[in-house]
Amino acid sequence: MTQDKGNYRPVVFRDRSAGYAFLTRSTAASDQTIEWDDGETYPLVEVEISSESHPFYTGRARVVDSEGQVAKFERRFGDQGPPGAPE
């Protein structure tokens, strides 16, 4: 995807994973085109992720169990104390 700073025009961005598309203005260049709901044809830029598929915006974010991480660390390393301290 290249950008030409002088060619600011309507462009459709489509999220490949969610199938979501939106029309906005951009300088992004594309060889693909799509016919939009208004009957006009616009350049199409396909993206891997957008607000429709990103876990932060969809609420499907992975919750890290910090208490479980501490227990895992203690099982792995035990109570070794600071380096150089007598055991």
Side-chain angles (χ1 to χ4, degrees):
M1 179 171 70
T2 60
Q3 292 187 348
D4 177 17
K5 294 185 180 175
N7 194 8
Y8 189 65
R9 66 197 189 292
V11 176
V12 174
F13 285 89
R14 181 169 54 193
D15 184 337
R16 290 180 181 173
S17 59
Y20 175 72
F22 57 94
L23 177 65
T24 187
R25 295 182 57 85
S26 176
T27 59
S30 175
D31 296 332
Q32 298 176 333
T33 59
I34 188 171
E35 186 173 331
W36 194 242
D37 299 335
D38 61 3
E40 296 289 323
T41 301
Y42 298 103
L44 173 67
V45 176
E46 298 212 20
V47 294
E48 296 294 326
I49 195 160
S50 71
S51 61
E52 287 295 311
S53 60
H54 193 281
F56 179 80
Y57 296 105
T58 61
R60 293 181 296 188
R62 187 174 62 134
V63 177
V64 176
D65 179 16
S66 61
E67 185 175 327
Q69 295 295 320
V70 170
K72 180 179 172 182
F73 178 84
E74 287 176 350
R75 278 193 314 272
R76 182 180 230 176
F77 298 104
D79 187 22
Q80 296 178 356
E87 292 189 29

